[in-house]
Amino acid sequence: MFGLEKLQGKALYNIMSAACGSAFMLYGYDAGVLGGIQETKQFRAAIGNPQGAFIIPVIASIYNLAAGIMALCVIMFGMQIGRKGTIQLGNLFIVIGAALQSSTFSVGQIIAGRIVAGMGIGCIASAVPTYMAEMSLQADQRGPEVSYQLALLITGVAGAYWLDFGFVQGLDAHPWLWRIPLALQSCFAIFSAVLLFSLPDTPRWYYARGRNDEGDHCLARLFALPVEHEIVQAQRDEVLGSMKEEAADSESFNWLLLFWDNSELQFGRRLRTSFLINWAQQFLGINMLVYFSTQIFTNLNYSPFISGILAGVLNTCFALASYPPIYFIEKVGRRAMMFWGAIACGICMLVYVALTNLKNPTVATNWTAVVFIILYEVVFAFGWLGTCWVYGPEIAPLRYRHVAGAMGAAGEWFSTWVMVFGGGTGINAVGAPIFAWPLICCFLAAAYVWFLCPETTGLTLEEIDVLFARGDAKARIAANTTQRRNSTTGSITEHRRRASATGSMGEKGGVGHNEKGQNMA
């Protein structure tokens, strides 16, 4: 379709990035779109003016619960239908969910629409980071690429808030306008699905499924080289060698290793970390601010109009701050960004909680609280937004990478559900003191990263196996990886030199290689 079957190298990778970027922007848009309309009288009238403190938090948070459950379901079918197939299934669910939500006239229908959309996001969040990580041709390409996807996600959140704000201004004249932002969810999904239709799945997935010819062809397209070229063959051998080591150790794998891991390659620890690092991300409190930002500012005694403006500004600053990590994640490192980010978020939250619990707040203290909430989101965007999404898939063994992606997404969504439902109810019940909860969690997350998360920056996916391996397996994998890389370093360097001289790196798209000869992430 559209000639995409003939693309190779950098051009192919860029189209993959656009398809996944649209899906992740949808993820963000869908997370933010309800926040700007759920307090309007026209929306509430359309669904029957529900009463009770729990109805709106349930409508907002059921989406997260559905996404978490679906992410766990991906564990059962993700390897069978592939990374690409999982994303496409998610796009289908989003189109159906958008239709249900935008046409709703009852609480039951809006909840059903949110559940279906949440199922779609569960698929997308499970598969997109894995898809792009496995398509990266350099170790230092993974971090920027996944960070870019997450920056698009938050751009979607900000876009949803401003779009909501614009349509809400016309609700008095046209009470149905709130339906348009909900319907627009499907546009992102359709764009992503059309591009993905003609794109391949990842080479590692093809090899894992025994479809070696397709894996070879996909690798050759990514390198913009013939299948027989020694660079393609060396990368093929490295992936298959890693699979062989995993297969030997996975015979003794069972799910109890998630709790007490004594395997040579530490499968259980790596899968557990994929879940916990994303769980920790949400317990920092970010989605309590994203989902209820308008209500938070209203509780500071700002008018609905000013609260809407501030919510838009807050999420725009969040979006802008999500782009610098693309350039810094490989320089600063995953572990350092998460550790210092959690500490800084905790300090910002401490100031906010202190200022909003004063007995006699003033205009100055309220505006200072606003500034620190914005600063919190800026710091979070830099330290935690994309970093944990990079970390989880890249530490996972190939055989269980779909499991790690699903567990990471489940950790994200279950903790989001807890924070959105519990936080939303708490904001209604006690107001600002509820933020003492994420304040404590910020410092707990910093401790978790410091003691239990080793640095992976600059390592290929196969070298990360060595990082986690124990005993004889560690020495064996390290020796095999070094031998393969040394045998092809000269050819890689020469290929890069020739490609640079002819311009084929930029035109046909050979993605290139780093100075250490790390030719495949």
Side-chain angles (χ1 to χ4, degrees):
M1 183 180 289
F2 308 123
L4 298 184
E5 298 88 350
K6 299 179 180 179
L7 290 178
Q8 58 181 336
K10 188 174 182 179
L12 173 63
Y13 188 83
N14 287 342
I15 294 297
M16 293 172 178
S17 180
C20 290
S22 178
F24 247 44
M25 185 175 282
L26 161 65
Y27 172 2
Y29 181 89
D30 215 15
V33 70
L34 194 63
I37 62 177
Q38 64 189 10
E39 298 296 324
T40 65
K41 62 182 181 181
Q42 291 84 358
F43 170 76
R44 297 206 175 196
I47 62 174
N49 286 312
Q51 302 299 313
F54 296 103
I55 299 298
I56 296 301
V58 165
I59 292 173
S61 64
I62 196 69
Y63 159 88
N64 309 117
L65 187 59
I69 293 172
M70 191 63 181
L72 290 181
C73 291
V74 170
I75 294 174
M76 296 182 284
F77 63 77
M79 183 56 81
Q80 283 68 38
I81 69 174
R83 288 61 159 134
K84 171 186 166 181
T86 303
I87 300 170
Q88 291 290 56
L89 180 62
N91 286 329
L92 175 62
F93 279 131
I94 289 293
V95 172
I96 297 172
L100 288 171
Q101 291 177 73
S102 60
S103 63
T104 188
F105 279 98
S106 69
V107 169
Q109 186 175 341
I110 190 69
I111 288 177
R114 294 288 285 174
I115 290 173
V116 175
M119 292 167 64
I121 292 299
C123 291
I124 289 170
S126 298
V128 164
T130 301
Y131 186 83
M132 294 311 300
E134 292 190 346
M135 288 297 194
S136 299
L137 289 181
Q138 295 174 224
D140 59 2
Q141 192 177 30
R142 288 193 312 270
E145 178 56 40
V146 177
S147 294
Y148 170 68
Q149 301 294 327
L150 269 295
L152 291 179
L153 185 158
I154 303 306
T155 301
V157 174
Y161 265 94
W162 285 116
L163 198 65
D164 283 351
F165 182 77
F167 278 101
V168 162
Q169 306 312 306
L171 284 178
D172 288 337
H174 305 286
W176 48 268
L177 282 177
W178 60 267
R179 299 181 183 276
I180 295 178
L182 294 176
L184 289 176
Q185 298 171 65
S186 60
C187 296
F188 297 93
I190 292 169
F191 178 79
S192 174
V194 168
L195 289 183
L196 279 170
F197 184 78
S198 299
L199 295 177
D201 214 308
T202 73
R204 288 176 173 86
W205 180 76
Y206 286 128
Y207 290 135
R209 300 299 292 171
R211 297 162 61 173
N212 290 6
D213 289 343
E214 290 169 277
D216 292 347
H217 180 65
C218 186
L219 268 184
R221 288 182 67 186
L222 287 169
F223 277 108
L225 290 170
V227 172
E228 299 79 13
H229 196 283
E230 60 185 313
I231 294 175
V232 177
Q233 290 301 309
Q235 184 57 62
R236 178 185 191 273
D237 291 345
E238 186 169 347
V239 174
L240 293 177
S242 178
M243 288 174 57
K244 185 177 179 180
E245 291 289 345
E246 290 178 10
D249 201 41
S250 65
E251 293 177 1
S252 60
F253 178 80
N254 65 74
W255 293 103
L256 292 177
L257 293 178
L258 290 174
F259 305 97
W260 186 262
D261 188 1
N262 58 1
S263 62
E264 281 193 322
L265 298 181
Q266 297 196 77
F267 288 166
R269 176 190 172 187
R270 293 155 75 178
L271 295 176
R272 182 175 66 238
T273 301
S274 297
F275 177 88
L276 290 176
I277 200 70
N278 283 62
W279 178 278
Q281 185 210 50
Q282 286 306 307
F283 266 64
L284 268 63
I286 184 62
N287 268 319
M288 287 175 65
L289 301 178
V290 170
Y291 276 72
F292 300 105
S293 52
T294 303
Q295 187 175 351
I296 289 169
F297 294 127
T298 301
N299 289 350
L300 290 174
N301 297 316
Y302 293 109
S303 69
F305 180 80
I306 295 298
S307 295
I309 291 286
L310 288 175
V313 170
L314 174 71
N315 288 289
T316 300
C317 291
F318 190 19
L320 292 174
S322 66
Y323 285 89
I326 297 172
Y327 307 101
F328 286 100
I329 189 169
E330 296 299 327
K331 297 179 177 66
V332 178
R334 283 80 155 131
R335 188 169 179 265
M337 288 176 70
M338 289 190 289
F339 175 75
W340 292 111
I343 294 293
C345 282
I347 293 171
C348 291
M349 191 65 75
L350 177 63
V351 175
Y352 171 77
V353 170
L355 291 174
T356 52
N357 285 280
L358 294 173
K359 291 184 177 180
N360 298 302
T362 66
V363 172
T365 59
N366 281 349
W367 279 111
T368 304
V370 170
V371 169
F372 271 89
I373 281 298
I374 294 174
L375 184 59
Y376 167 94
E377 291 209 358
V378 169
V379 171
F380 180 92
F382 186 87
W384 276 81
L385 176 63
T387 314
C388 57
W389 287 99
V390 177
Y391 195 81
E394 72 181 3
I395 67 171
L398 172 59
R399 180 179 292 266
Y400 299 106
R401 194 162 289 138
H402 70 291
V403 177
M407 290 184 67
E412 164 96 4
W413 288 111
F414 283 132
S415 59
T416 300
W417 176 74
V418 172
M419 298 302 286
V420 172
F421 181 73
T425 304
I427 289 170
N428 288 331
V430 301
I434 192 64
F435 284 96
W437 174 17
L439 162 61
I440 295 170
C441 292
C442 286
F443 295 105
L444 292 177
Y448 175 73
V449 171
W450 181 263
F451 290 107
L452 295 172
C453 297
E455 184 60 75
T456 59
T457 302
L459 302 178
T460 67
L461 295 181
E462 284 67 43
E463 286 171 333
I464 291 171
D465 284 338
V466 179
L467 178 66
F468 283 93
R470 290 170 168 163
D472 294 340
K474 189 179 189 73
R476 187 171 60 248
I477 297 172
N480 290 339
T481 300
T482 301
Q483 182 179 4
R484 293 189 190 101
R485 179 152 293 112
N486 289 342
S487 67
T488 57
T489 297
S491 298
I492 291 170
T493 303
E494 178 64 16
H495 173 60
R496 184 175 67 243
R497 185 191 65 77
R498 291 178 180 177
S500 178
T502 60
S504 65
M505 288 291 191
E507 299 299 327
K508 292 181 69 177
V511 179
H513 314 278
N514 62 25
E515 293 300 324
K516 296 180 181 179
Q518 291 172 328
N519 56 303
M520 188 67 162

